[in-house]
Amino acid sequence: MNRQLIAPLLAAVCLAVATTATAQPPASSQQQPAAAAADPAATLIKQGQQLLREGRHDGALEAFVAAADKAPAKTAVRSTAEMQAGVVLDLLGRYAEARKRFAQAIDAAPSNTEKDRATRAMAMSYAFERNCDGAAGYAGPLYERNLASGAFFDAGEVANELARVCLESNSLDQAAIWYKRGYDAGLKELDLKPARRDLWEFRWEHAQARLAARRGQAGEARRHVEAAKAALDKGTNPEQAPFFPYLVGYVAFYTGDLVTATAELQKANQNDPFIICLLAQAYEKQGDKARADELYRKVLTSNAHNPTNAYARPLAKQKLGMK
């Protein structure tokens, strides 16, 4: 509480004025406008986030850059503003500029948690260019730090995310290595519950099925699909069920069964840009360019900064003849 509030409150206590409590607004209500006025960077970040939700990328970028310029160095606000600017630049296809922003976000981060968040975003920036090695340069050390600190689930998550980036970058051997590291890390979790073990089994079989499909090993891919279904059928991870038709559709697409691919991918999450993009390619290969282009345009409505959009957005822009 500031001195201007303290003085009248002390005087009121000394005089035992009964109306002080009702006449004096709560301190928190007085401090909120002052705090908002004192933090224009945070206000600009909120504006930028709203503009991004509306798909107004240029305006969002302008707001985030202005927020970064106003925020004090080595603060969470500064790190967030820089990182958000980097995200928009990736969506715009300005990857080199994006990485400069992510580097500044990492440098500005005041805590390990925020630094790790910015580091993961930097790794994802390379995914937009399908650069497995570039992504590994940032995600790899983050995986090692989580592993060393005993955060095994987090280590597994980072490794799996990187593996997917490598898979869709056509670096299949690297993808296989990182999926195995993710699986092994996940199983090291202390007091591992059966449901968590089943989750990692499902993810592991899911990954191996996709890898086999990409290598043209249809029989091997189907065997892993069946194993993934067996893990899912245990019923311990029902939230994973939507990922199964995506798996069947993915395997069918890469093993040349376009009819099955189309049918299964239509059952999967229609808000996932990767799935939409894969479905668009299936339609395109079957000669339905109008439907494919409709789906490619839908991909471009996503502002996600994750492996699904990192793969889908650049491809959709290419298919639609956009820079």
Side-chain angles (χ1 to χ4, degrees):
M1 186 178 292
N2 59 43
R3 292 181 180 179
Q4 291 177 333
L5 294 177
I6 292 172
L9 284 175
L10 288 176
V13 170
C14 293
L15 294 171
V17 178
T19 59
T20 299
T22 55
Q24 183 71 29
S28 59
S29 67
Q30 292 187 349
Q31 288 176 334
Q32 286 173 358
D39 195 1
T43 300
L44 283 165
I45 288 173
K46 289 181 180 179
Q47 291 174 0
Q49 290 169 338
Q50 180 59 38
L51 290 167
L52 183 57
R53 284 190 290 270
E54 295 170 0
R56 298 163 64 184
H57 295 108
D58 291 336
L61 177 60
E62 184 178 343
F64 291 137
V65 169
D69 289 343
K70 291 181 179 296
K74 305 293 183 181
T75 62
V77 172
R78 175 66 176 273
S79 182
T80 297
E82 296 284 10
M83 189 169 66
Q84 293 278 25
V87 166
V88 179
L89 286 164
D90 271 339
L91 294 174
L92 291 170
R94 294 159 59 180
Y95 306 122
E97 293 176 67
R99 284 167 204 154
K100 290 180 181 178
R101 290 290 175 177
F102 290 130
Q104 290 166 189
I106 293 169
D107 182 65
S111 71
N112 288 336
T113 298
E114 286 151 341
K115 192 176 293 292
D116 288 351
R117 188 163 61 102
T119 299
R120 203 163 174 175
M122 173 72 95
M124 197 52 54
S125 182
Y126 285 95
F128 278 80
E129 291 189 298
R130 301 195 191 183
N131 185 338
C132 169
D133 290 339
Y138 289 88
L142 179 55
Y143 159 81
E144 295 291 350
R145 287 199 295 276
N146 281 320
L147 206 61
S149 68
F152 297 117
F153 183 82
D154 291 341
E157 293 270 276
V158 170
N160 267 25
E161 185 173 83
L162 176 57
R164 188 169 186 187
V165 169
C166 292
L167 177 61
E168 303 311 332
S169 300
N170 207 32
S171 298
L172 305 186
D173 291 343
Q174 284 296 98
I177 289 169
W178 282 106
Y179 273 128
K180 183 63 164 61
R181 287 175 179 170
Y183 174 70
D184 289 344
L187 294 182
K188 289 180 181 178
E189 186 178 3
L190 298 179
D191 299 321
L192 186 69
K193 301 294 188 294
R196 188 61 66 85
R197 178 178 292 278
D198 293 342
L199 172 63
W200 285 111
E201 291 296 338
F202 174 70
R203 288 177 169 180
W204 177 231
E205 296 297 342
H206 200 293
Q208 290 186 92
R210 284 178 286 124
L211 278 163
R214 293 296 296 273
R215 288 171 169 153
Q217 301 166 348
E220 182 74 2
R222 284 193 292 270
R223 185 176 69 81
H224 288 298
V225 168
E226 291 171 3
K229 183 65 162 58
L232 188 62
D233 285 347
K234 292 181 180 180
T236 51
N237 292 279
E239 74 286 350
Q240 297 298 310
F243 295 102
F244 188 71
Y246 150 60
L247 172 61
V248 177
Y250 186 105
V251 168
F253 178 83
Y254 280 106
T255 55
D257 184 354
L258 296 176
V259 173
T260 299
T262 302
E264 292 297 327
L265 290 170
Q266 285 176 331
K267 300 174 188 175
N269 182 1
Q270 297 304 294
N271 292 316
D272 184 315
F274 183 92
I275 291 169
I276 298 167
C277 195
L278 205 59
L279 182 57
Q281 291 173 84
Y283 278 120
E284 187 175 14
K285 285 179 178 291
Q286 294 174 86
D288 192 344
K289 189 176 186 305
R291 185 65 187 277
D293 285 352
E294 178 186 344
L295 292 172
Y296 288 134
R297 285 190 289 271
K298 184 177 179 181
V299 166
L300 298 182
T301 64
S302 173
N303 293 311
H305 196 258
N306 59 20
T308 66
N309 208 28
Y311 168 83
R313 187 177 181 86
L315 181 59
K317 291 173 72 174
Q318 177 188 332
K319 293 288 188 178
L320 293 170
M322 300 169 61
K323 292 183 178 180

